[in-house]
């Protein structure tokens, strides 16, 4: 089921250097200086320190799980670029990973140390962050790299030239997305002078003609300790970390010359503006953008609430006025907090054939007529509950809070993270109404047309905020609970997990452990039907799953959403082959009640015709967009060859066009009949990981799920090994600037096979890690792709796993990419991996496996799978031990035994010219 979230269209507002990285190396930190660390303040468990050179340090200790996250935020982004410099901030982000004086091969080291690392650039900041299983040596090493990269990046001309194709590839990837390009065009029309009107990735001409000396000047101007904030969150020793930070950063001098603030502000908009983007294919989109106050301004939080009141689903006004009335497929809104006056966006995604002018008219009427239809107290309280729930869940996760603070730092002060929450708590109805009427006005609007007028309706003039004055007396919420350390080893996980079975077949695994904010991840899987019973039911089953959160017989859709917000819960429902999976996230005290709500959703869904029509429209709109997507088309072509089943088989993969026909054909009675025939808990698994009351959860499961028998018998749908004809299929996607290629190969082994550990490690060395053979050749050496990776979809039940490779690139580079891949395969199959590669990869893979076990969401899913398989984490420990013992001969033998390039199934899609 291809549901492409509408907000995925709106992810162009920052670009990043994505590193699926994982590693180990000696520490080469800077020498300690005479600088001293001074504590500045502490708010809600976050302590601020300063070095004498101006570096701001934030420490966020959390021993709830054995991971550490380090984030360096530099207060420079596309807003700080001058004429001819667009894209420099983002280009520097790429080049910093190319090495510095003491750390010439940082990317490979990330991989060897098992780190998940990333960098991103936006309007007001650039940040570099990494998460890893708690390790003092890795933490000290990463601090040393950040310090050296801040002032000693190599920035070689050769590195810039090599990375240029990668950056262009990243730009072209964004250009494939009509939603991203429409936002870029809208912002460029909306802003006359301010750099928020320019894409963060920059102008192609500026990037391709960048002067290396100018880039170095830009780097020296902005990369300095008094323009940066270092955040360390998770498990660490405070005194020790401060010593290491001082040793790494303390010797960096503070520049003599202060940074000059950017003075530009746009004038008040004096009339509606229009922009039109025309491209072939896809689903129609309409955006309405409005200038709004800066993030630190007291009125900005009201605009965030308005984005929820208008754009939320299902309770938002736009959803009710357009989606429920079949005028649009989806409605959405957001208002990012920026350092200078920013924007709010309200948008629609339509299905081809729907009346775009009528939808736009209704959209603008709902936004700009709030004086005639004022916001209600109930709407405001619902929006506040939703926003505060998301804030709570974000703050509870030490791996995300450190990165989330970047946006507040970029706005002027990290404490805005808490002040914004307080402002949302205290937000009044009259404030929201006033802000709506001041800023959501015709003359302050940018949409798809322009109409001259003498009737001026200008918004208030933009103004800056004195953040120091705003926060002078701010102290935050003093409440904070310390979280003890949890050892995420397989043995400890098994020892702490309580496994049981309830009446009628429900299997249960409960792992109670301390977590930040008492956060709990839980999962409930129902399995039903047989391959024979499920014939012809693929789309029906998917639609039933999609309707489960659209209301129950006892609660309307809105009432259900409100109850989940009250319980501070996120619930996600997914169809799986022969079943349905429900992922849950909440706080411990609400988990028993949430079990009851989820049981109500599963046992007594409303399954209303209007909701079905809405879900079908959204699915069809996503499929329409997928038909112009190189990734979707190539993946579909390969999967159709890998699964040669008859059309009514549940394992069959239809074409995108055929899937649209099948979705259109499903009616509400088929959906209701499917639910009556299959849903029950006779073959079900439940897991929970986090801080909760085990007995209360068990009682809730007995109360709400015991006795709910599945009407039809369950037998797992098998996936036996099939012989697939190799070949290469080329698909043309006109006007798509980014191309995509995939190769797949069925493998005759399961994750219980003796060769499983060796092939897993071989694949890691081949294309999974950031220092792998394919990554190094295609991305690092030749600069042909923004991303290339391989992975194996391991089968736990029968000897039929699937290996795959995927890569994106510019269409004109198809033959070069294919040649590079073929040559690397030939080289590795002939020469094999070296002992040095094996040792580095072994450490990286084991560190990555350990890190995954420290993620509660992953643990919850793994516990459910273990229940189905009758396994414990001791199996995972045995695999770790086998990986630790593997010889280079065993790894090379597994690679040569299973990966046969002449048997690959290939598909490539893009705007290719005839060759």
């Amino acid at each position: 089921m291809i549901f492409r979230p509408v907000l995925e269209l709106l992810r162009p507002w920052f670009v990043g250097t994505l590193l699926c990285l994982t590693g180990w190396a000696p520490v080469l930190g800077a020498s300690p200086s005479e600088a001293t660390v001074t504590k500045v303040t502490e708010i809600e468990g976050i302590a601020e320190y300063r070095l004498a050179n101006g570096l701001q340090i934030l420490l966020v200790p959390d021993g709830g799980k054995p991971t550490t996250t380090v984030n360096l935020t530099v207060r420079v982004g596309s807003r700080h670029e001058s004429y001819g410099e667009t894209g420099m901030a983002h280009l520097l982000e790429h080049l910093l990973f190319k090495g510095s004086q003491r750390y010439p091969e940082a990317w490979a080291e990330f991989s060897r140390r098992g780190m998940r690392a990333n960098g991103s650039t936006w309007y007001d900041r650039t940040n570099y962050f990494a998460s890893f299983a708690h390790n003092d040596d890795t933490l000290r090493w990463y601090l040393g790299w950040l310090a050296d990269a801040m002032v000693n990046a190599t920035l070689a001309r050769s590195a810039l030239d090599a990375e240029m194709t990668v950056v262009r590839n990243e730009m072209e990837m964004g250009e494939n997305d009509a939603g991203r390009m429409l936002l870029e065009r809208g912002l460029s029309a909306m802003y006359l002078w301010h750099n928020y009107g320019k894409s963060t990735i920059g102008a192609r001409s500026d990037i391709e003609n960048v002067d290396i000396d100018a880039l170095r000047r830009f780097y020296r101007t902005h990369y300095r300790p008094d323009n940066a904030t270092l955040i360390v969150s998770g498990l660490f020793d405070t005194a020790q970390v401060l010593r290491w930070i001082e040793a790494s950063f303390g010797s960096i001098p503070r520049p003599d010359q202060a940074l000059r603030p950017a003075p530009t502000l746009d004038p008040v908009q004096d009339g509606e503006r229009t922009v039109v983007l025309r491209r072939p294919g896809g689903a129609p989109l309409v955006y309405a953008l409005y200038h709004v106050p800066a993030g630190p301004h007291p009125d900005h939080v009201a605009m965030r609430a308005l984005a929820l009141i208008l754009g939320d689903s299902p309770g938002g006004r736009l959803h009710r006025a357009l989606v429920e009335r079949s005028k649009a497929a989806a409605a959405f809104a957001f208002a990012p907090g920026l350092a200078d006056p920013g924007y709010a966006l309200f948008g629609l995604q339509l299905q081809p054939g729907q009346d775009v002018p009528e939808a736009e008219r209704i959209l603008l009427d709902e936004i700009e007529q709030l004086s005639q239809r004022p916001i209600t107290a109930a709407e405001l309280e619902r929006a506040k509950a939703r926003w505060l729930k998301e804030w709570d869940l974000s703050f509870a996760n030490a791996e995300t809070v450190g990165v989330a603070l970047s946006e507040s730092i970029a706005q002027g002060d990290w404490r805005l993270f808490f002040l914004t929450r307080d402002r949302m708590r205290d937000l009044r109805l009259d404030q929201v109404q006033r802000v709506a009427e001041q800023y959501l006005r015709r003359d302050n609007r940018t949409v798809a047309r322009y109409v001259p007028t003498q009737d001026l309706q200008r918004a208030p003039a933009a103004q800056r905020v004195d953040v120091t004055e705003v926060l002078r007396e701010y102290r935050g919420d003093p409440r904070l609970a310390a979280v003890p350390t949890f050892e995420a080893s397989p043995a400890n996980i098994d020892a702490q997990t309580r496994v049981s079975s309830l009446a009628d077949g429900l299997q249960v695994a409960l792992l109670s452990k301390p977590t930040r904010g008492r956060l709990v991840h839980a999962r409930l899987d129902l399995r039903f039907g047989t391959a024979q019973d499920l014939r012809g039911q693929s789309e029906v089953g998917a639609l039933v799953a999609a309707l489960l959160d659209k209301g129950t017989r006892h609660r309307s859709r809105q009432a259900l959403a409100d109850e989940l917000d009250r319980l501070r819960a996120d619930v996600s429902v997914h169809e799986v082959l022969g079943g349905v999976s429900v992922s849950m996230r909440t706080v411990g005290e609400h988990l028993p009640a949430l079990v009851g709500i989820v049981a109500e959703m599963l046992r007594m869904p409303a399954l209303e015709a209007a909701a079905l029509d809405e879900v079908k429209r959204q699915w069809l709109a996503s499929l329409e967009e997928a038909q112009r997507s190189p990734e979707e088309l190539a993946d579909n072509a390969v999967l159709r060859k890998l699964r040669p089943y008859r059309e009514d088989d549940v394992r069959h993969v239809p074409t995108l066009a055929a899937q649209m026909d099948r979705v259109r054909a499903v009616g509400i009675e088929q959906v209701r009949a499917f639910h009556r025939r299959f849903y029950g808990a006779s073959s079900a698994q439940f897991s929970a990981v986090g801080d909760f009351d085990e007995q209360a959860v068990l009682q809730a499961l007995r109360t709400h799920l015991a006795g709910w028998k599945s009407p039809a018998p369950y037998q797992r749908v098998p996936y036996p090994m099939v012989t697939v004809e190799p070949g290469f299929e080329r698909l043309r996607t006109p006007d798509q600037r980014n191309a995509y290629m995939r190769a797949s190969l069925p493998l005759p082994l399961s994750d219980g096979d003796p060769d499983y550990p060796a092939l897993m490690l071989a694949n890691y060395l081949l294309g999974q890690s950031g220092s792998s053979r394919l990554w190094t050749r295609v991305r690092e050496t030749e600069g042909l792709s923004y991303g290339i990776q391989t992975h194996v979809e391991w089968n736990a039940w029968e000897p039929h796993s699937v290996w795959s490779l995927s890569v994106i690139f510019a269409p004109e580079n198809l033959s070069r990419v294919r040649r590079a891949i073929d040559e690397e395969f030939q080289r590795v199959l002939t020469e094999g991996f070296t002992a040095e590669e094996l040792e580095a990869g072994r450490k990286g893979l084991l560190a990555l496996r350990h890190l995954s076990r420290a993620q509660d969401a992953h643990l919850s899913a793994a516990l459910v799978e273990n229940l189905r398989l009758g396994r414990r984490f001791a199996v995972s420990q045995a695999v770790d031990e086998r990986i630790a013992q593997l010889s280079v001969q065993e790894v090379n033998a597994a690679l040569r035994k299973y990966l046969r390039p002449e048997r690959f199934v290939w598909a490539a899609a893009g705007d290719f010219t005839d060759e």
Side-chain angles (χ1 to χ4, degrees):
M1 187 172 187
I2 306 173
F3 271 110
R4 185 175 182 224
V6 175
L7 286 180
E8 282 293 301
L9 299 173
L10 305 176
R11 292 174 55 196
W13 54 83
F14 73 87
V15 289
T17 303
L18 178 62
L19 314 173
C20 294
L21 298 177
T22 52
W24 190 96
V27 176
L28 296 173
S31 300
S33 72
E34 296 300 320
T36 57
V37 181
T38 303
K39 185 168 185 178
V40 178
T41 188
E42 182 169 350
I43 292 179
E44 299 185 30
I46 299 180
E48 177 187 348
Y49 299 84
R50 287 272 183 178
L51 290 183
N53 59 15
L55 179 71
Q56 184 182 53
I57 304 164
L58 301 179
L59 300 186
V60 192
D62 179 10
K65 55 184 179 181
T67 61
T68 306
T69 298
V70 182
N71 173 37
L72 178 70
T73 298
V74 184
R75 287 179 280 278
V76 59
S78 57
R79 176 168 66 91
H80 303 91
E81 297 163 348
S82 299
Y83 186 77
E85 293 182 345
T86 63
M88 274 195 178
H90 173 239
L91 196 55
L92 274 177
E93 176 218 324
H94 276 252
L95 292 183
L96 253 66
F97 289 106
K98 290 297 186 180
S100 60
Q101 290 182 5
R102 294 188 177 93
Y103 302 82
E105 296 181 350
W107 282 20
E109 190 64 16
F110 293 159
S111 181
R112 286 191 288 269
R113 290 178 174 272
M115 302 166 70
R116 291 192 312 185
N118 205 343
S120 71
T121 310
W122 202 16
Y123 300 124
D124 303 310
R125 54 86 185 142
T126 305
N127 67 330
Y128 305 86
F129 51 95
S131 292
F132 45 88
H134 173 66
N135 181 287
D136 285 345
D137 184 63
T138 297
L139 174 56
R140 190 175 183 184
W141 181 91
Y142 188 68
L143 291 171
W145 173 73
L146 285 176
D148 204 46
M150 176 181 282
V151 291
N152 294 320
T154 307
L155 301 185
R157 178 80 242 184
S158 58
L160 176 62
D161 292 340
E163 194 70 7
M164 192 57 63
T165 304
V166 173
V167 174
R168 281 197 298 262
N169 187 209
E170 184 178 3
M171 176 183 291
E172 290 154 0
M173 178 175 60
E175 289 175 351
N176 273 12
D177 195 317
R180 296 186 181 196
M181 289 298 98
L182 184 60
L183 179 59
E184 180 178 308
R185 302 293 188 267
L187 292 175
S188 66
M190 181 180 184
Y191 287 96
L192 297 177
W193 309 108
H194 198 283
N195 273 356
Y196 287 168
K198 296 182 177 64
S199 169
T200 299
I201 204 166
R204 179 181 288 269
S205 59
D206 286 358
I207 295 171
E208 292 178 343
N209 298 291
V210 65
D211 178 78
I212 188 66
D213 291 328
L215 187 63
R216 289 167 180 158
R217 285 194 298 272
F218 188 87
Y219 167 71
R220 289 192 296 269
T221 298
H222 297 284
Y223 279 70
R224 43 195 281 172
D226 59 337
N227 196 40
T229 300
L230 179 68
I231 309 168
V232 183
S233 60
L235 181 60
F236 58 86
D237 180 277
T238 296
Q240 187 178 61
V241 165
L242 288 173
R243 288 194 300 271
W244 289 343
I245 292 172
E246 184 178 359
S248 298
F249 288 87
S251 59
I252 302 174
R254 181 201 291 262
D256 295 332
Q257 190 172 4
L259 282 168
R260 178 178 176 269
T264 305
L265 287 179
D266 258 36
V268 175
Q269 188 165 322
D270 54 3
E272 60 269 50
R273 298 173 189 164
T274 65
V275 62
V276 176
L277 174 67
R278 298 188 188 277
R279 287 190 174 187
L285 295 163
V286 178
Y287 300 165
L289 299 111
Y290 300 83
H291 292 276
V292 300
H297 194 285
D299 285 348
H300 190 269
V301 72
M303 190 56 65
R304 293 194 182 193
L306 282 165
L308 285 168
I309 291 167
L310 289 167
D312 198 18
S313 175
R317 291 194 177 190
L318 299 180
H319 183 94
R320 298 199 306 268
L322 288 142
V323 180
E324 290 184 359
R325 294 170 56 198
S326 302
K327 303 294 184 182
F332 45 91
F334 70 98
L338 304 175
D340 281 345
Y343 62 90
L345 181 148
F346 304 86
L348 301 176
Q349 184 181 43
L350 289 87
Q351 191 176 340
Q354 288 184 314
D355 191 332
V356 175
E358 181 186 22
E360 181 183 317
R361 178 187 59 78
I362 298 172
L363 169 72
L364 299 180
D365 181 74
E366 289 292 328
I367 296 170
E368 296 175 8
Q369 296 303 314
L370 292 175
S371 59
Q372 280 71 46
R373 297 185 290 274
I375 303 299
T376 67
E379 287 176 315
L380 176 58
E381 289 307 309
R382 181 179 299 136
K384 290 168 65 173
R386 173 64 59 88
W387 192 95
L388 291 169
K389 177 195 73 173
E390 296 299 330
W391 190 98
D392 286 341
L393 293 174
S394 174
F395 184 59
N397 188 340
E399 290 185 14
T400 60
V401 69
V403 179
L405 286 168
S406 289
E407 306 310 326
S408 298
I409 293 166
Q411 293 173 43
D413 194 299
W414 66 274
R415 293 170 293 173
L416 290 167
F417 183 71
F418 299 99
L419 181 63
T420 303
R421 175 206 59 194
D422 295 354
R423 285 173 168 173
M424 183 63 78
R425 285 175 177 171
D426 300 333
L427 190 60
R428 304 185 314 274
L429 188 60
D430 62 336
Q431 183 183 359
V432 176
Q433 189 66 35
R434 173 182 59 78
V435 169
E437 293 179 16
Q438 281 187 314
Y439 291 95
L440 302 182
R441 312 183 78 167
R442 183 196 61 203
D443 288 357
N444 193 36
R445 175 215 308 159
T446 299
V447 283
R449 70 172 181 270
Y450 171 76
V451 178
T453 181
Q454 299 300 316
D455 183 15
L456 302 178
Q457 298 184 19
R458 296 181 178 177
Q463 56 183 293
R464 298 192 186 278
V465 178
D466 184 344
V467 177
T468 301
E469 183 60 34
V470 168
L471 293 164
R472 187 177 301 279
E473 302 299 326
Y474 184 69
R475 296 293 179 268
D477 192 333
R479 296 169 296 178
L480 181 71
V483 180
T485 300
F486 177 81
E487 180 190 353
S489 66
N492 192 48
I493 292 171
D494 280 343
Q496 299 299 323
T497 302
R498 303 292 178 261
V499 177
S500 61
S501 295
L502 304 184
D504 302 314
L506 177 63
Q507 299 171 287
V508 181
L510 302 179
L511 174 54
S512 181
K513 60 186 279 293
T515 56
R516 185 182 180 88
R518 296 204 66 200
L519 193 64
V520 178
H521 288 82
R523 177 162 162 172
L524 174 62
D525 280 14
L526 305 182
R527 300 287 172 165
F528 42 70
T530 65
Q532 179 65 34
D533 292 341
L534 292 169
R535 285 189 180 276
Q537 299 289 314
S538 295
E539 285 70 28
V540 181
L543 287 166
V544 172
L547 289 171
L548 295 176
D549 63 355
K550 304 298 187 294
T552 72
R553 295 176 207 165
H554 302 307
R555 301 175 201 264
S556 69
R557 183 176 178 181
Q558 186 60 66
L560 178 59
D562 290 345
E563 181 63 11
L564 292 175
D565 285 343
R566 187 187 70 80
L567 295 175
R568 295 164 62 191
D570 276 343
V571 173
S572 178
V573 183
H574 301 284
E575 179 220 16
V576 295
L577 183 65
V580 65
S581 179
V582 183
S583 298
M584 294 162 263
R585 185 174 61 156
T586 186
V587 292
E589 61 264 30
H590 293 322
L591 183 57
L594 181 59
V595 168
I597 294 295
V598 169
E600 183 180 323
M601 292 165 57
L602 292 169
R603 301 185 69 169
M604 295 174 284
L607 301 181
E608 296 175 343
L612 174 63
D613 289 343
E614 175 190 327
V615 170
K616 288 170 62 177
R617 288 194 299 272
Q618 291 176 347
W619 193 350
L620 291 169
S622 297
L623 287 168
E624 188 74 35
E625 186 69 19
Q627 290 188 100
R628 63 187 297 274
S629 165
E631 289 87 347
E632 298 285 3
L633 289 171
D635 283 345
N636 181 261
V638 170
L639 288 174
R640 284 176 53 76
K641 291 184 178 180
L642 294 179
R643 302 179 187 177
Y645 295 97
R646 48 188 280 181
E647 289 188 2
D648 64 346
D649 195 295
V650 72
R651 295 161 292 190
H652 172 70
V653 179
T655 65
L656 299 177
Q659 192 173 6
M660 294 178 75
D661 292 338
R662 291 160 66 143
V663 171
R664 292 189 187 100
V666 177
I668 191 62
E669 290 307 320
Q670 291 172 275
V671 167
R672 292 168 178 166
F674 186 99
H675 186 269
R676 288 193 301 269
R677 180 181 180 187
F678 291 109
Y679 270 63
S682 298
S683 298
Q685 298 82 34
F686 176 87
S687 71
V689 178
D691 193 348
F692 59 90
D693 184 324
E694 293 185 8
Q695 292 306 313
V697 172
L698 286 171
Q699 185 56 49
L701 292 170
R702 295 188 190 97
T703 300
H704 299 290
L705 292 174
W708 185 33
K709 296 183 178 180
S710 304
Y714 166 66
Q715 184 177 14
R716 185 183 63 83
V717 177
Y719 261 112
M721 182 72 182
V722 292
T723 301
V724 178
E725 285 298 317
F728 185 92
E729 183 174 358
R730 192 167 73 162
L731 305 164
R732 189 163 184 266
T733 54
D735 202 36
Q736 295 292 282
R737 300 298 303 274
N738 194 62
Y740 171 82
M741 184 162 60
R742 171 172 172 167
S744 290
L745 175 69
L747 304 173
L749 79 169
S750 71
D751 70 359
D753 192 282
D755 286 338
Y756 166 64
L759 186 58
M760 183 198 306
L761 182 52
N763 179 68
Y764 185 84
L765 297 173
L766 175 67
Q768 186 180 349
S769 80
S771 58
S772 66
R773 288 287 187 94
L774 290 173
W775 176 279
T776 301
R777 170 69 184 272
V778 176
R779 161 140 188 173
E780 294 300 296
T781 303
E782 298 199 24
L784 293 172
S785 175
Y786 178 67
I788 180 171
Q789 65 173 357
T790 64
H791 73 278
V792 183
E793 185 179 348
W794 295 106
N795 191 327
W797 297 94
E798 55 237 324
H800 179 199
S801 301
V802 177
W803 173 91
S804 293
L805 172 151
S806 60
V807 57
I808 61 172
F809 52 93
E812 61 269 22
N813 289 330
L814 172 61
S815 59
R816 292 182 61 194
V817 172
R818 179 65 191 273
R819 182 171 60 253
I821 293 171
D822 290 344
E823 289 175 357
E824 280 305 305
F825 262 104
Q826 183 61 38
R827 187 165 73 92
V828 75
L829 289 172
T830 301
E831 302 173 2
F833 298 111
T834 66
E836 292 76 13
E837 284 179 289
L838 176 70
E839 288 307 312
R842 188 200 318 273
K843 292 175 182 176
L845 180 58
L846 288 173
L848 191 62
R849 285 171 60 83
H850 180 74
L851 178 62
S852 71
R853 290 191 289 263
Q855 312 302 313
D856 290 354
H858 169 84
L859 269 182
S860 178
L863 287 172
V864 162
E865 188 68 7
N866 281 348
L867 287 173
R868 291 188 69 215
L869 293 165
R871 290 179 179 175
R872 302 297 298 272
F873 269 92
V875 174
S876 180
Q877 178 64 43
V879 172
D880 284 359
E881 292 170 357
R882 181 67 183 116
I883 292 172
Q885 298 166 356
L886 286 169
S887 68
V888 70
Q889 291 80 12
E890 290 173 308
V891 173
N892 287 329
L895 178 77
R896 292 169 178 140
K897 178 178 179 181
Y898 292 104
L899 291 190
R900 306 284 296 278
E902 70 275 10
R903 301 300 303 168
F904 289 175
V905 177
W906 293 87
D911 194 357
F912 303 122
T913 56
D914 293 335
E915 297 182 354

